[in-house]
Amino acid sequence: MDKKSNVLLVDDDELYLYLMEKTIKEMTQDIEVNSFTDGEQAVEFVSKCTKEKKTLPKVIFLDINMPFLDGWGFLAEFKKLKSKIEQQINIYIVSSSVRESDIKKAAEYEELTDYMIKPIDRKKLAGIFTKAYNVT
Amino acid sequence: MRKRVFKIFAYLYIPVLILSLYLFLSQKKEKIELLSDYQRKDTSIKKKYLEDQFYSFVNNTQYWSTLKYPINFDPLKEHVSFMSPYLEIIRGITDYDQFRFLDLEGNEFFRAERTKVNSVKLRPLQNKIEREYVKNGLALEHGQTYLSQISLNRENGEIEKPHKPVIRAVSPIYDKTGKKMGIVVINFKMKRILDYLKLRASDNNIFLLDNNKRIITSSKYQEDLPYEFLERNTSLEDLYTSVPDAIKHDTTYFKNNHIWTIQQVNLHKIDSGYNTLSGAPLKVVSPTNWKLAQEASPSMIKASLLPIYEGLGLFNFFAIILLASLSYMLQKNRVQKELFYKELEEKNELLTKNRDKLLKNNQFITDMNHRLEIRNEQLSEFNYLVSHNLRAPVTSMATVMDMINNEKEPQNVTMLLPKLGQVTKSIINLTEDISDYVTILDNREIKIDDVNIIDLIEEVKKDFTETLLDNDSFEVIIKSDAWQQVDFSKFYLRSVIHNLMSNAIKYRRENIYSYILFETRYENKNKVLSVSDNGIGIDLEKHGDNLFKLYKRFHRNISGKGMGLFLVKSQLEALDAKITIKSKENVGTTFEITF
């Protein structure tokens, strides 16, 4: 791996963010984690990276229910920015919602890589990172 | 029923009645005309007969005038032989009642009287100069014949009995030299002729009248010339209240149910119409002016009209029976029809009622459905609340527990433990929120009040007194012209107004005059409360879907739990009210609550 890889965590559950960051750090030191508690902040971050030509996170873990701008709102904004983004970005919905309507709605977004239900254990995370960064 | 039958009957029968009456009247007229015609003809025949008889009398008398008598004619002594063949003639003509010769002084010098049918006797002579017929007879010129009135024969001033109606014909007589020597007077018996006149084929009354309408002979009287021997006057006026006036022309007419025929007996016609024995035309001198009258009495006319009356009666009798039964049947039919229609109408009404009931039921079911849908949504929301929002902290807790179990360094464990407290707190908060929501969902306990909206707003306003005190540029405006009272839970409505007012204050724009306006109005008969402010507004395109959802917040830097509008919507929907929003950023927001 040439550079330090980026992961973006978007969730209003701060405890979840803490636990995820902790877990990822324990797995590898090569991944830098950026986390935000709502979609609005995440959109600002992505558009800032695009403007400043910084490397975008290859993996985004996105919650649905968040204040100010929810997961769907983020996806809508992300679509607008997509034309300016060259690299492949894997967006995973990570929600505790097992609601059928949410899962169906998620399937309609081609930007999404997968829909995952909390909790995400190390094994799953490892699989995602292996796929995204071709590392173990 | 009876009245309507009679009405139909009247409609049918009246034209029939009119037609039958018309036919009856024309038949009656025809019949009367026929009767009149018969009567006229009969009168004509009788008149002709009478005229013929008079012609015969005049002609007969004229004969004696044409004889050439001896000079100083004395039939009783000197010229008995001359007279004797003539006496045979006199005896043979049975109509002769008396045969006399009178001299120029009115003295009879020959007088023969019929004593039996075929026996004539000479009688003592009398002077008759005072008699009218003698005076008139002596005044006659050559060729003239005088015809007297018909009268009862009198002898020596007394009416001869039995009554003998006679007419006297007088002609002048001349001797061989042509010297006028006197007159011949013949009394003709009228009984046969008058009896003939009285003969009648029907019950008509026949009258021979003189100039004063006195009755000479009539089918009404057995005796002729009643006025001569009866004390009372016997003219036509005495028999009838309404009689024909003096009529100059022959006539037949119908009046007061009598048919009258009057014809003049025209003796003067004899002048021209008849041939005489002598060949010379007859010249009649007469004071007479007879009229032959016939009358068909009302009873007789009635009798002739009886078949027509019977026909009318019979026809109408059958028409009444036929039309009455027809009307009855028609009415019965109509009543049955009406009954049928009525039944149909009742059935229709029943159907309509059933349909209305069905529609009501349908409406009820639709309403119910709608409520169930809302309920369903609420339950789904509740389900989500529990499954998602509770799941998140529980998952986190499981993760923390997992980490603690795997952690070998106690230092790290003490770092993880406070996280558990954090999870617990969030679970407690969540259960509280869920409890609030469940209370709303379980709306059986909600008390409905008659809420005065002005009072309620004023009450809620006090909740924010502190906020309003340090900012006097916020105003609460109420426009409640349309309505002031509404049936709703006062507790819920207070909560709703509190939340909306709280939002309006929280999200007001800085440094401008801010207000919240409550306005009541009606829409489709529903009460509507519009709540608008001139705050910072919200981008509905971005947040519209999430606006009334739990734990959604849209403005950073402003404190909020993300529960306010969620509760507002839940509380309103729990009591079947609706809320909608219109908003524009930096202009303001308007909520509309439809009760």
Side-chain angles (χ1 to χ4, degrees), chain A residues 12-16 18-20 22-23 26 37-41 44 63-70 72-73 77 95-99 102 105 117-120 122, chain B residues 380-381 383-384 387-389 391-393 395-400 403 406-407 412 415-416 419-420 422-423 542-543 545-546 549-558:
Chain A
D12 59 335
D13 185 352
E14 284 175 34
L15 182 60
Y16 161 83
Y18 168 79
L19 295 173
M20 278 293 276
K22 196 169 183 294
T23 310
E26 279 169 12
T37 51
D38 60 76
E40 210 169 75
Q41 290 173 341
E44 267 169 39
D63 186 20
I64 296 172
N65 287 298
M66 291 175 291
F68 312 121
L69 190 66
D70 65 3
W72 309 122
E77 294 297 312
S95 170
S96 50
S97 169
V98 290
R99 197 148 61 167
D102 284 339
K105 194 174 174 184
I117 292 162
K118 287 179 186 173
I120 303 173
R122 281 176 193 236
Chain B
S380 166
E381 200 70 38
N383 185 34
Y384 189 68
S387 71
H388 177 265
N389 296 54
R391 203 185 149 86
T395 311
S396 298
M397 194 152 78
T399 315
V400 173
M403 280 178 164
N406 293 335
E407 198 62 60
N412 283 345
M415 265 184 72
L416 282 168
K419 299 289 173 194
L420 279 179
Q422 207 177 318
V423 172
K542 224 171 174 180
H543 304 296
D545 291 348
N546 293 327
K549 285 191 179 159
L550 185 62
Y551 301 144
K552 297 289 177 186
R553 295 170 54 215
F554 310 100
H555 298 280
R556 222 175 290 278
N557 309 325
I558 296 169

Side-chain angles (χ1 to χ4, degrees), chain B residues 22 74 223 384 431 487:
Chain B
Y22 172 75
D74 183 4
E223 297 282 352
Y384 189 68
T431 39
D487 288 333

Side-chain angles (χ1 to χ4, degrees), chain A residues 61-115:
Chain A
F61 292 110
L62 186 66
D63 186 20
I64 296 172
N65 287 298
M66 291 175 291
F68 312 121
L69 190 66
D70 65 3
W72 309 122
F74 173 85
L75 284 172
E77 294 297 312
F78 182 80
K79 259 187 182 176
K80 292 178 195 167
L81 296 167
K82 208 183 161 189
S83 56
K84 297 171 189 166
I85 298 165
E86 288 154 10
Q87 65 182 97
Q88 172 73 30
I89 295 176
N90 298 298
I91 303 176
Y92 293 87
I93 292 266
V94 183
S95 170
S96 50
S97 169
V98 290
R99 197 148 61 167
E100 192 75 12
S101 65
D102 284 339
I103 298 168
K104 264 190 183 163
K105 194 174 174 184
E108 285 167 20
Y109 285 89
E110 51 184 38
E111 293 85 5
L112 286 177
T113 309
D114 205 356
Y115 186 101

Side-chain angles (χ1 to χ4, degrees), chain B residues 190-380:
Chain B
M190 285 300 290
K191 181 99 174 115
R192 176 180 60 85
I193 298 161
L194 296 180
D195 281 350
Y196 178 81
L197 285 183
K198 282 190 248 183
L199 285 179
R200 47 191 186 161
S202 56
D203 291 335
N204 293 29
N205 289 313
I206 299 165
F207 303 91
L208 183 64
L209 303 169
D210 71 7
N211 217 11
N212 299 320
K213 290 184 200 159
R214 284 188 305 190
I215 295 165
I216 296 167
T217 187
S218 165
S219 53
K220 285 211 161 210
Y221 295 99
Q222 212 171 359
E223 297 282 352
D224 298 317
L225 297 152
Y227 63 86
E228 286 203 33
F229 58 88
L230 290 176
E231 284 189 5
R232 57 190 163 87
N233 205 359
T234 51
S235 69
L236 206 55
E237 274 100 341
D238 301 321
L239 292 176
Y240 299 96
T241 48
S242 154
V243 292
D245 293 329
I247 288 161
K248 283 173 186 138
H249 304 288
D250 296 352
T251 181
T252 298
Y253 64 90
F254 179 68
K255 192 180 174 187
N256 296 334
N257 288 323
H258 296 267
I259 301 173
W260 282 102
T261 301
I262 315 281
Q263 290 185 359
Q264 305 271 342
V265 179
N266 195 350
L267 290 180
H268 305 286
K269 224 171 124 193
I270 297 169
D271 291 348
S272 50
Y274 294 87
N275 291 323
T276 60
L277 289 170
S278 59
L282 291 174
K283 286 176 188 162
V284 180
V285 174
S286 176
T288 63
N289 191 12
W290 293 311
K291 291 178 180 74
L292 197 56
Q294 274 206 57
E295 180 246 9
S297 66
S299 62
M300 184 216 148
I301 295 170
K302 207 172 159 188
S304 328
L305 292 177
L306 194 63
I308 305 174
Y309 278 109
E310 278 172 354
L312 176 77
L314 211 62
F315 174 78
N316 277 285
F317 173 71
F318 282 114
I320 286 167
I321 286 177
L322 192 77
L323 294 178
S325 38
L326 191 71
S327 313
Y328 176 74
M329 265 146 61
L330 276 174
Q331 178 56 22
K332 208 172 161 187
N333 200 356
R334 212 158 89 176
V335 166
Q336 273 174 345
K337 241 185 213 169
E338 268 168 26
L339 215 73
F340 175 72
Y341 278 125
K342 209 176 160 190
E343 254 173 52
L344 215 74
E345 215 165 85
E346 272 169 15
K347 277 182 188 166
N348 227 4
E349 215 168 278
L350 205 74
L351 279 173
T352 313
K353 251 185 209 167
N354 280 349
R355 200 193 57 188
D356 287 351
K357 216 170 163 184
L358 223 83
L359 279 177
K360 235 182 199 171
N361 278 352
N362 255 359
Q363 186 55 45
F364 179 73
I365 288 169
T366 310
D367 286 353
M368 192 71 129
N369 230 5
H370 180 67
R371 292 186 63 160
L372 280 174
E373 260 170 39
I374 290 172
R375 192 81 174 158
N376 225 9
E377 241 169 68
Q378 288 172 337
L379 285 174
S380 166

